[in-house]
Amino acid sequence: MIVRKFRKAVSYESGDNTHHPSMKNPHSFQQSKMKKVGSRWPTFSEFVDFLLFETQHNGELDMHWTPVVQFCTPCLVKFDVILKFETLDEDQRYLIEKASLNGVIKPEHKNSGKGKNTQELLMSYYAQLTKSQVKGLYEIFKFDFEVFDYNPNEYFNAAKSDEVVVEVNSEGIERVELNFDRSKLLPFS
């Protein structure tokens, strides 16, 4: 559904494609002239477009990407300690010492990641977004950023600007990518 709704359609480069084998209905003008390309899975950017759209139109997100503060209500409970996965090793040691359990348990992290660390992985994903997309995400998760002490600047800095990007491949074919704030588009009726 996300790919169907948010993937940009691209024109075929040349020729009459009304009978292109990938087209389900060769007589459909839209399908004959346009095709959605790429993986069958949404890109991170498409997923973010979906989140922004859902928030603007429905106001309710799936529980898996709903802001944390809507679930745990940290302002209603007086927590003694809040641990974060980004600093789990350090936070575990602090909690064990604070609870005077030094000789009883040791810090443990069974599911440590392989490859890129969390910060590198995050920045590689945010580099795929425009600054407008990051701004939209920040508006959704603003209270999570504040409560859990995250700095939004590094995410804005990783994002690409909202401009036109033109790339020319080795065969001289131009690819134009328009990065823009979808919320500023006027719908056609």
Side-chain angles (χ1 to χ4, degrees):
M1 185 276 297
I2 294 172
V3 169
R4 263 194 326 273
K5 190 167 188 165
F6 296 101
R7 178 138 319 148
K8 297 172 185 88
V10 296
S11 298
Y12 285 106
E13 291 172 359
S14 63
D16 177 9
N17 296 303
T18 56
H19 300 293
H20 192 281
S22 71
M23 298 301 166
K24 290 182 177 139
N25 178 357
H27 303 291
S28 163
F29 174 79
Q30 178 127 5
Q31 282 189 338
S32 68
K33 299 297 180 192
M34 306 294 271
K35 178 184 176 187
K36 296 197 176 191
V37 296
S39 166
R40 65 183 256 193
W41 306 113
T43 63
F44 184 60
S45 180
E46 291 164 346
F47 176 70
V48 167
D49 285 341
F50 162 75
L51 286 180
L52 297 175
F53 180 87
E54 289 297 307
T55 302
Q56 290 172 356
H57 293 87
N58 296 335
E60 191 172 317
L61 296 175
D62 179 278
M63 67 178 282
H64 295 93
W65 38 83
T66 296
V68 173
V69 295
Q70 291 184 12
F71 285 110
C72 72
T73 56
C75 298
L76 299 178
V77 176
K78 186 179 180 321
F79 292 99
D80 294 322
V81 178
I82 296 177
L83 306 180
K84 295 188 334 187
F85 276 102
E86 295 86 352
T87 55
L88 188 59
D89 293 332
E90 179 183 337
D91 292 351
Q92 284 184 92
R93 284 191 296 277
Y94 171 80
L95 185 58
I96 290 168
E97 185 176 313
K98 187 87 169 155
S100 301
L101 296 171
N102 286 342
V104 180
I105 60 174
K106 294 181 181 179
E108 190 174 341
H109 192 171
K110 290 186 179 185
N111 294 323
S112 61
K114 306 216 178 349
K116 291 182 179 181
N117 70 32
T118 302
Q119 191 62 22
E120 290 171 337
L121 191 59
L122 266 175
M123 291 305 114
S124 72
Y125 278 108
Y126 275 84
Q128 299 170 32
L129 303 180
T130 64
K131 294 197 184 302
S132 295
Q133 287 174 303
V134 174
K135 182 178 184 242
L137 283 177
Y138 178 72
E139 291 303 318
I140 295 170
F141 297 99
K142 182 177 185 173
F143 295 119
D144 283 358
F145 272 84
E146 291 176 10
V147 168
F148 300 110
D149 195 30
Y150 289 109
N151 182 349
N153 292 336
E154 61 188 317
Y155 301 98
F156 282 106
N157 291 338
K160 54 191 172 186
S161 61
D162 296 271
E163 301 173 348
V164 175
V165 176
V166 179
E167 296 175 357
V168 179
N169 70 12
S170 60
E171 295 150 3
I173 298 173
E174 281 189 350
R175 183 180 78 78
V176 177
E177 182 179 321
L178 302 174
N179 298 318
F180 54 87
D181 185 344
R182 291 179 190 275
S183 66
K184 293 180 182 173
L185 293 178
L186 298 174
F188 290 99
S189 48

CSV table of all heavy atoms in Angstrom, one decimal, residues 103-125:
chain,number,residue,atom,x,y,z
A,103,GLY,N,27.9,-7.4,43.2
A,103,GLY,CA,28.4,-8.7,43.3
A,103,GLY,C,27.3,-9.8,42.9
A,103,GLY,O,27.6,-11.0,42.8
A,104,VAL,N,26.1,-9.3,42.6
A,104,VAL,CA,25.0,-10.3,42.3
A,104,VAL,C,24.8,-10.5,40.8
A,104,VAL,O,24.6,-11.6,40.3
A,104,VAL,CB,23.7,-9.8,43.0
A,104,VAL,CG1,22.5,-10.7,42.7
A,104,VAL,CG2,23.9,-9.6,44.5
A,105,ILE,N,24.7,-9.4,40.1
A,105,ILE,CA,24.5,-9.5,38.6
A,105,ILE,C,25.6,-8.6,37.9
A,105,ILE,O,26.2,-7.7,38.4
A,105,ILE,CB,23.1,-9.0,38.2
A,105,ILE,CG1,22.8,-7.6,38.6
A,105,ILE,CG2,22.1,-10.0,38.8
A,105,ILE,CD1,21.5,-7.1,38.1
A,106,LYS,N,25.8,-8.9,36.6
A,106,LYS,CA,26.7,-8.2,35.8
A,106,LYS,C,25.9,-7.7,34.5
A,106,LYS,O,24.9,-8.3,34.1
A,106,LYS,CB,27.8,-9.1,35.3
A,106,LYS,CG,28.7,-9.6,36.4
A,106,LYS,CD,29.8,-10.5,35.8
A,106,LYS,CE,30.6,-11.0,37.0
A,106,LYS,NZ,31.7,-11.8,36.6
A,107,PRO,N,26.4,-6.6,34.0
A,107,PRO,CA,25.7,-6.0,32.8
A,107,PRO,C,25.8,-7.1,31.7
A,107,PRO,O,26.8,-7.8,31.5
A,107,PRO,CB,26.6,-4.8,32.4
A,107,PRO,CG,27.3,-4.5,33.6
A,107,PRO,CD,27.5,-5.7,34.4
A,108,GLU,N,24.7,-7.2,30.9
A,108,GLU,CA,24.6,-8.2,29.9
A,108,GLU,C,23.8,-7.6,28.7
A,108,GLU,O,22.8,-6.9,28.9
A,108,GLU,CB,23.9,-9.4,30.4
A,108,GLU,CG,24.0,-10.6,29.5
A,108,GLU,CD,23.4,-11.9,30.1
A,108,GLU,OE1,23.3,-12.0,31.3
A,108,GLU,OE2,23.1,-12.8,29.3
A,109,HIS,N,24.3,-7.9,27.5
A,109,HIS,CA,23.6,-7.4,26.3
A,109,HIS,C,23.7,-8.6,25.3
A,109,HIS,O,24.7,-8.7,24.6
A,109,HIS,CB,24.3,-6.2,25.8
A,109,HIS,CG,23.5,-5.5,24.7
A,109,HIS,ND1,23.8,-4.3,24.2
A,109,HIS,CD2,22.4,-5.9,24.0
A,109,HIS,CE1,23.0,-3.9,23.3
A,109,HIS,NE2,22.1,-4.9,23.2
A,110,LYS,N,22.7,-9.4,25.2
A,110,LYS,CA,22.7,-10.6,24.4
A,110,LYS,C,22.5,-10.4,22.9
A,110,LYS,O,23.0,-11.1,22.1
A,110,LYS,CB,21.6,-11.6,24.9
A,110,LYS,CG,22.0,-12.2,26.2
A,110,LYS,CD,20.9,-13.3,26.6
A,110,LYS,CE,21.3,-13.9,27.9
A,110,LYS,NZ,20.5,-15.0,28.3
A,111,ASN,N,21.8,-9.3,22.6
A,111,ASN,CA,21.5,-9.1,21.2
A,111,ASN,C,22.3,-7.9,20.6
A,111,ASN,O,21.7,-7.1,20.0
A,111,ASN,CB,20.0,-8.9,21.0
A,111,ASN,CG,19.2,-10.1,21.3
A,111,ASN,OD1,19.6,-11.2,21.1
A,111,ASN,ND2,18.0,-9.8,22.0
A,112,SER,N,23.6,-8.0,20.8
A,112,SER,CA,24.4,-6.8,20.3
A,112,SER,C,24.4,-6.9,18.7
A,112,SER,O,24.4,-8.0,18.2
A,112,SER,CB,25.8,-6.9,20.8
A,112,SER,OG,26.4,-8.1,20.4
A,113,GLY,N,24.3,-5.7,18.1
A,113,GLY,CA,24.2,-5.7,16.7
A,113,GLY,C,25.5,-6.0,16.0
A,113,GLY,O,26.6,-6.0,16.6
A,114,LYS,N,25.4,-6.3,14.7
A,114,LYS,CA,26.6,-6.6,13.9
A,114,LYS,C,26.7,-5.6,12.8
A,114,LYS,O,25.6,-5.1,12.4
A,114,LYS,CB,26.5,-8.0,13.3
A,114,LYS,CG,26.2,-9.1,14.4
A,114,LYS,CD,26.9,-10.4,14.0
A,114,LYS,CE,26.8,-11.4,15.0
A,114,LYS,NZ,26.2,-11.2,16.3
A,115,GLY,N,27.8,-5.2,12.4
A,115,GLY,CA,28.0,-4.2,11.3
A,115,GLY,C,27.9,-2.8,11.9
A,115,GLY,O,28.5,-2.5,12.9
A,116,LYS,N,27.2,-1.9,11.3
A,116,LYS,CA,27.1,-0.5,11.7
A,116,LYS,C,26.5,-0.4,13.1
A,116,LYS,O,25.6,-1.1,13.4
A,116,LYS,CB,26.2,0.3,10.7
A,116,LYS,CG,26.8,0.5,9.3
A,116,LYS,CD,25.8,1.3,8.5
A,116,LYS,CE,26.4,1.5,7.1
A,116,LYS,NZ,25.5,2.4,6.3
A,117,ASN,N,27.0,0.6,13.8
A,117,ASN,CA,26.4,0.9,15.1
A,117,ASN,C,25.1,1.7,14.9
A,117,ASN,O,24.8,2.1,13.8
A,117,ASN,CB,27.4,1.6,16.1
A,117,ASN,CG,27.7,3.0,15.7
A,117,ASN,OD1,26.9,3.7,15.1
A,117,ASN,ND2,28.9,3.5,16.0
A,118,THR,N,24.3,1.8,15.9
A,118,THR,CA,23.0,2.4,15.8
A,118,THR,C,23.1,3.8,15.2
A,118,THR,O,22.3,4.2,14.4
A,118,THR,CB,22.3,2.5,17.2
A,118,THR,OG1,22.3,1.2,17.7
A,118,THR,CG2,21.0,3.1,17.1
A,119,GLN,N,24.0,4.6,15.7
A,119,GLN,CA,24.1,6.0,15.2
A,119,GLN,C,24.5,6.0,13.7
A,119,GLN,O,23.9,6.8,13.0
A,119,GLN,CB,25.2,6.7,16.0
A,119,GLN,CG,25.2,8.2,15.8
A,119,GLN,CD,23.9,8.9,16.2
A,119,GLN,OE1,23.1,8.4,17.0
A,119,GLN,NE2,23.6,10.0,15.7
A,120,GLU,N,25.4,5.2,13.3
A,120,GLU,CA,25.7,5.2,11.8
A,120,GLU,C,24.5,4.8,11.0
A,120,GLU,O,24.3,5.3,9.9
A,120,GLU,CB,26.9,4.2,11.6
A,120,GLU,CG,28.2,4.7,12.1
A,120,GLU,CD,29.3,3.6,12.0
A,120,GLU,OE1,29.0,2.4,12.0
A,120,GLU,OE2,30.5,4.0,12.0
A,121,LEU,N,23.8,3.8,11.5
A,121,LEU,CA,22.6,3.3,10.8
A,121,LEU,C,21.6,4.3,10.7
A,121,LEU,O,21.0,4.6,9.7
A,121,LEU,CB,22.1,2.0,11.5
A,121,LEU,CG,21.1,1.2,10.7
A,121,LEU,CD1,21.6,0.7,9.4
A,121,LEU,CD2,20.6,0.0,11.6
A,122,LEU,N,21.3,5.0,11.8
A,122,LEU,CA,20.3,6.1,11.9
A,122,LEU,C,20.7,7.2,10.8
A,122,LEU,O,19.8,7.6,10.1
A,122,LEU,CB,20.3,6.7,13.2
A,122,LEU,CG,19.3,6.2,14.2
A,122,LEU,CD1,19.5,6.8,15.6
A,122,LEU,CD2,17.9,6.4,13.7
A,123,MET,N,21.9,7.6,10.8
A,123,MET,CA,22.3,8.7,9.9
A,123,MET,C,22.2,8.2,8.5
A,123,MET,O,21.9,9.1,7.6
A,123,MET,CB,23.7,9.2,10.3
A,123,MET,CG,23.8,9.9,11.6
A,123,MET,SD,22.6,11.3,11.8
A,123,MET,CE,21.5,10.7,13.0
A,124,SER,N,22.5,7.0,8.2
A,124,SER,CA,22.4,6.5,6.8
A,124,SER,C,20.9,6.6,6.3
A,124,SER,O,20.6,6.9,5.2
A,124,SER,CB,23.0,5.1,6.6
A,124,SER,OG,22.1,4.1,7.2
A,125,TYR,N,20.0,6.3,7.3
A,125,TYR,CA,18.6,6.4,6.9
A,125,TYR,C,18.1,7.8,6.8
A,125,TYR,O,17.4,8.2,5.9
A,125,TYR,CB,17.7,5.7,7.9
A,125,TYR,CG,17.6,4.2,7.7
A,125,TYR,CD1,18.3,3.3,8.5
A,125,TYR,CD2,16.9,3.7,6.6
A,125,TYR,CE1,18.2,1.9,8.3
A,125,TYR,CE2,16.9,2.3,6.4
A,125,TYR,CZ,17.5,1.4,7.2
A,125,TYR,OH,17.5,0.1,7.0
